[in-house]
Amino acid sequence: MIHPSLAQEVLAKATATGGDFAEIFLEDSRSHSLLLKSGHMDSVNSLRSHGAGVRVFNGTSAVYVYTNDTSREGLIACAQKAAAAVTEGKGCAPIPLNPSDARRPEEIRVLPGDVTAARKAEKLRAADAAARAVSGEIVQVNARYSDTVQDVLIANTEGTFVTDRRVYTRLACTAVASDGTENQSGSTNPGASMGFELFDSRVDPEACGKLAANQAVTMLHAPVCPAGVYPVVIDNGFGGVIFHEACGHSLEATSVAYGISEFSGRLGEMIAAPCVTAIDDGTIPNEWGSEHVDDEGMPTTRLVLIENGKLVGYMIDKLGGRRMGMAPTGSGRRESYQWAPTSRMRNTYIAAGKDDEAEMIATMGEGLYAKAMGGGSVNPATGEFNFAVNEGYWVKDGKIVHPVRGASLIGRGSEVLLRIDRVGRDMRMAQGMCGSMSGSIPVNVGQPMIRVSSLTVGGR
Amino acid sequence: MDRVQMDSFIDRLLAAAKEAGLETAEVYYTEAEAFSVGLMKGEVDSYEVSTSGGLGLRGTVDGRMGYAATEAYDEDAIAQLIEGVKESAALNEAQEQDTIFAGDAVYPEIGKPESDLAAWSAEKKIALAHEIEQAALSRDSRVSQTQGVSVSTSRGVRILRNSYGLNLRREGEVCVAYASPIAREGEDTSTGFKIAAGYRLGDVKPAELGAGAADDALAMLHAKPVPSGDYRVILRREAMGDLLATFSGVFSAENAQQKLSLLAGREGEKIASDAVTLMDDPLLPGGFASTPFDGEGSASRTKAVIDAGTLTTLLHSRKTAKKQGVETTGNALRAGYAGAVRVGPTNFFIRPGEKTLEQLMAEMGDGLVITDVSGLHAGANPISGDFSLLSKGFVIRDGKQAEPVEQVTVAGNFYALLKSIRAVADDLRFDGRSIASPSVDAGVMKVSGK
């Protein structure tokens, strides 16, 4: 991408006015997407994303400048603009750059660029046909295939000069069921840090189509969810979004560093029920949220956040680390060169526990069994979170009685973590895109089936 | 890239596209220069400067449209774009194909707001951010911190050029500032948020913005859920604007034709209460989505989408209009430089009524006013129209705003909401957005609380 001597020159220019740390992030990405709508290939897009960002620290202040112009002149201009915003810094002594390529435990067997669009399209047609075959009530199927190969170079004044390649492939299928006056949808979006071999081992397009269609048809015939405060059982896989929203974001340095988060300054305290252990792991080969090095060039890590209910770790980027007086944890991530990195989640999950899944439902009395979750959001200052239930079932006297639609769950992170009274044995993860201060990035959420003793269920 | 270099790149690209056998071709280029500064605890915590853009090429092969895009303009880029378009076109099986448009005879003039942003130095913008933060933090001893204060400016240009010789260009500038203070008292924490936007830095009033955001947070201290049940609800303008933006896709003819909107074929029918007139106005002076041409080069025009409750038209591009045998409404939308042309609104708003928000509350007597809804990407289903959203607001008692409410969900259905709106207030504001609404008396809604 660029020669270490040019990187050295850019870093020197960036710190010329007193910055005590500088970093270059250079990116060249190729992505490809295909959208099959109503059984017809609607659009096929290729995008080459290309640019660089220069970041300079002065103590706990940060300056970020980015551009598409990655020529020598463009990079130097970026460095000069960044340096111009720094005054009265203590500066930094340059360290020789040590070029390396990130260690990548997994092998990408079939690079997306080596696969024709026609072969990618076959996967969509398979998902589409399987979805339509489920029911005459399926009126629309949207199937999207996407892949990205992101080549990056990260260099900084601490001697880092590392290149990395990240490869992502994903299938997304949404089915809409209609009875003419009402529409309901179902969806599934599996992906991995893999090439086209995703479809050999992990993702069956037909199964995806069926799953989405069945969910849509089930919800079309479901009455609306009752509203109120009830026990809630949340299934494994994407159910882990509850931890992601209720707690994960509040353990990111972005919220913790300034004392904004409800979990600031609480290391060592019991913040969850003793049955809860939570982990953020960037090291799992091929997982959607995994990394080799983070977007600040640090090797990725496995980080325990909560151990048997006790808060033991935060997710920390370099700048957050300076603000908190703590070491970074390999958690600096960003969508692209257009974003300064900050502390973010990777593959974040509640670890497997010991409880029996059938017993959880049998002993819950009346409440909600949330089988498939949608997305959510949180206000880290107050801990208030919300998320949607895409496929829910009403439970009465410990028995599942019928599906319910339109449910959402709300609460406060600090309260819900303490109210988890069952953690099942079968931990699974699912893929999502997480949007926050450094853009939209791939993350896994995960958990075994869990039960929350009481939660506000928003229904109608 | 400067203007001459980019013009020359586009010239070469369109010539190469013709050479390579593309029957028609179109370039859509966007570029922005942006600046932003964020403060935390009195210090500059983030400072960002950028110049970035991208270029999308679409073109036809055997009458089928293909797409490709790039942010690199090196030697490989032209060949990659053309190859990408050809591959994409070869797979395109849409029954109705987009076509490249030769252009309209006349484009409307839109008064461009006079902007002074170029003349402001970074130091002045940082000083403005400090003033906003100070105004928030000096408001009340219970407000001692913010989640962030930011001032940003950007200048953008978009260019649409095609093989018919159409060459359209639009430039714009905007500044946006926000403050999000945190109020704390005892064990209780609440947050506030206010945003201001305009074309001159003078459009941001730091004292008003900072103090208003602090008041917003203070008002929510000690908020509690109300018991679950059916309530009369006023959706204040921020909440109704968010709902309208989330569900704006139901007015797209593209969605309707794909059965993703229940408004398909319902033009001429009553779909909302008499109080509702919904405008799409790309010619709005000072509007944040104002434009003389849409994403495929059609001249913009103003229309009522709902006129006193009756659906008069859906939003169309040339493709969706052709399918339905009508004229385009000039709503072809380019979400960015990459990707296909979609359909979407410009400046999109419910026309304000005569009464103030206070009058609506007085007429309601008892109920809730919802000021904030969150989790719209999750708790609202744009296909079914259902929503169930974490909400904040206040109890309305005896016609007046009373104690604050939080940790409740408000649930309903957007299609049903349009019909149940009893009255629309006079308080329309855009605040940097293109989709907005005045406050509305939404009738009865289901609230889930304690």
Side-chain angles (χ1 to χ4, degrees), chain A residues 44 61 64 68 258 375 412 457, chain B residues 44 47 53 88 145 378 388 406 448:
Chain A
V44 176
S61 285
Y64 191 64
N68 295 128
Y258 288 104
R412 276 182 200 278
V457 178
Chain B
V44 172
Y47 181 106
S88 170
Q145 190 179 2
S388 176
E406 66 175 11
S448 185

Side-chain angles (χ1 to χ4, degrees), chain A residues 58-264:
Chain A
N58 179 18
T60 56
S61 285
V63 178
Y64 191 64
V65 181
Y66 67 84
T67 180
N68 295 128
D69 182 0
T70 59
S71 67
R72 182 177 179 281
E73 297 69 34
L75 294 174
I76 298 276
C78 255
Q80 285 170 334
K81 279 186 203 170
V86 174
T87 48
E88 297 169 22
K90 64 179 166 61
C92 72
I95 292 178
L97 296 175
N98 176 25
S100 67
D101 190 37
R103 202 185 71 79
R104 296 193 276 279
E106 78 282 352
E107 180 201 357
I108 301 299
R109 296 212 310 275
V110 190
L111 267 180
D114 296 337
V115 180
T116 62
R119 275 186 70 202
K120 296 172 183 175
E122 284 167 20
K123 303 300 174 191
L124 298 182
R125 294 188 207 286
D128 176 82
R132 276 168 206 285
V134 164
S135 160
E137 288 172 327
I138 297 296
V139 293
Q140 174 77 25
V141 180
N142 277 359
R144 179 185 291 274
Y145 164 93
S146 56
D147 62 53
T148 300
V149 177
Q150 184 195 38
D151 286 312
V152 300
L153 162 68
I154 303 149
N156 68 33
T157 51
E158 292 167 352
T160 298
F161 184 98
V162 62
T163 51
D164 190 15
R165 166 167 282 188
R166 294 90 177 253
V167 179
Y168 301 98
T169 302
R170 196 178 198 197
L171 176 72
C173 184
T174 299
V176 179
S178 178
D179 60 9
T181 53
E182 286 208 63
N183 286 343
Q184 287 290 327
S185 61
S187 63
T188 183
N189 314 286
S193 294
M194 294 178 102
F196 203 65
E197 71 271 20
L198 176 79
F199 297 103
D200 298 337
S201 53
R202 291 207 180 200
V203 174
D204 173 4
E206 290 184 15
C208 291
K210 272 184 206 160
L211 194 151
N214 277 320
Q215 199 179 80
V217 171
T218 302
M219 288 301 103
L220 185 65
H221 298 286
V224 294
C225 184
V229 178
Y230 293 99
V232 177
V233 165
I234 304 168
D235 215 337
N236 63 14
F238 205 74
V241 70
I242 189 168
F243 183 82
H244 177 102
E245 298 300 350
C247 183
H249 279 296
S250 306
L251 298 180
E252 293 169 339
T254 319
S255 319
V256 178
Y258 288 104
I260 292 168
S261 163
E262 57 176 346
F263 299 119
S264 294

Side-chain angles (χ1 to χ4, degrees), chain A residues 30 32 35 37 39-50 61-68 81 85 117-118 125 139-140 176 181 183-185 227-229 258-260 323 337-338 375-377 379-382 384-386 388 405-406 408 410-412 456-460, chain B residues 40-41 44-53 67-72 74 80 84 87-88 91-95 145-147 182 184 189-191 228 254 258-260 262 337 339 342 374-375 377-379 381 383-384 386 388 390 392 406-409 411-413 446 448-449:
Chain A
R30 281 151 212 262
H32 200 209
L35 174 63
K37 270 184 158 183
H40 298 281
M41 192 58 62
D42 180 79
S43 57
V44 176
N45 282 293
S46 58
L47 169 63
R48 179 165 164 213
S49 184
H50 182 90
S61 285
V63 178
Y64 191 64
V65 181
Y66 67 84
T67 180
N68 295 128
K81 279 186 203 170
R125 294 188 207 286
V139 293
Q140 174 77 25
V176 179
T181 53
N183 286 343
Q184 287 290 327
S185 61
V229 178
Y258 288 104
I260 292 168
R323 289 169 178 164
Y337 69 90
Q338 298 198 1
S377 65
N379 177 344
T382 61
E384 292 170 289
F385 67 81
N386 67 87
R405 72 161 75 156
S408 60
I410 66 166
R412 276 182 200 278
T456 301
V457 178
R460 291 174 62 197
Chain B
M40 201 61 116
K41 298 194 166 172
V44 172
D45 139 90
S46 68
Y47 181 106
E48 212 170 283
V49 181
S50 65
T51 312
S52 69
Y67 311 85
T70 188
E71 293 173 352
D74 53 23
Q80 279 172 3
E87 185 191 58
S88 170
L91 279 169
N92 192 333
E93 312 167 321
Q95 283 161 317
Q145 190 179 2
T146 75
Q147 282 182 297
I182 302 173
R184 288 199 178 95
T189 301
S190 62
T191 58
S228 301
E254 186 182 31
Q258 288 164 6
K259 301 177 187 166
L260 298 176
L262 294 171
Y337 54 83
R342 296 293 177 208
S374 24
H377 67 291
N381 182 335
I383 296 172
S384 64
D386 288 339
S388 176
L390 175 60
K392 290 180 185 183
E406 66 175 11
Q407 286 288 298
V408 298
T409 62
N413 178 284
K446 184 69 85 179
S448 185

Side-chain angles (χ1 to χ4, degrees), chain B residues 184-425:
Chain B
R184 288 199 178 95
E185 188 169 39
E187 288 288 285
D188 210 50
T189 301
S190 62
T191 58
F193 183 80
K194 278 265 186 297
I195 187 165
Y199 300 95
R200 306 170 66 83
L201 277 173
D203 293 342
V204 175
K205 309 270 186 285
E208 190 183 310
L209 179 64
D215 288 346
D216 213 34
L218 289 163
M220 291 311 298
L221 275 173
H222 309 301
K224 287 189 179 55
V226 290
S228 301
D230 291 337
Y231 287 80
R232 287 282 305 272
V233 169
I234 288 172
L235 296 167
R236 209 169 74 180
R237 58 186 174 80
E238 301 90 337
M240 186 60 204
D242 279 348
L243 280 176
L244 181 62
T246 302
F247 290 104
S248 61
V250 307
F251 299 102
S252 149
E254 186 182 31
N255 286 336
Q257 289 170 7
Q258 288 164 6
K259 301 177 187 166
L260 298 176
S261 163
L262 294 171
L263 298 181
R266 297 186 59 196
E267 289 93 336
E269 281 180 38
K270 194 99 166 115
I271 62 153
S273 78
D274 294 344
V276 179
T277 291
L278 179 64
M279 301 299 299
D280 182 70
D281 186 2
L283 312 183
L284 186 72
F288 292 96
S290 293
T291 173
F293 58 92
D294 77 356
E296 53 188 353
S298 296
S300 297
R301 64 184 173 85
T302 300
K303 59 272 173 192
V305 173
I306 300 175
D307 190 0
T310 301
L311 181 67
T312 51
T313 181
L314 294 172
L315 301 177
H316 284 281
S317 64
R318 292 171 60 250
K319 180 171 81 173
T320 64
K322 188 176 164 204
K323 182 170 183 179
Q324 219 171 301
V326 296
E327 292 289 309
T328 177
T329 57
N331 285 93
L333 180 77
R334 306 293 281 252
Y337 54 83
V341 173
R342 296 293 177 208
V343 176
T346 62
N347 300 300
F348 198 56
F349 55 94
I350 293 176
R351 186 180 274 165
E354 307 282 318
K355 290 172 181 164
T356 64
L357 173 61
E358 288 68 29
Q359 280 172 309
L360 292 195
M361 290 196 265
E363 286 171 15
M364 173 174 284
D366 293 314
L368 298 175
V369 54
I370 298 300
T371 56
D372 183 58
V373 288
S374 24
L376 288 146
H377 67 291
N381 182 335
I383 296 172
S384 64
D386 288 339
F387 59 86
S388 176
L389 297 166
L390 175 60
S391 303
K392 290 180 185 183
F394 299 89
V395 168
I396 302 171
R397 189 175 296 110
D398 302 328
K400 291 203 164 56
Q401 184 169 309
E403 67 272 16
V405 175
E406 66 175 11
Q407 286 288 298
V408 298
T409 62
V410 172
N413 178 284
F414 184 71
Y415 296 104
L417 170 64
L418 287 175
K419 288 187 174 162
S420 67
I421 290 174
R422 300 183 184 198
V424 177

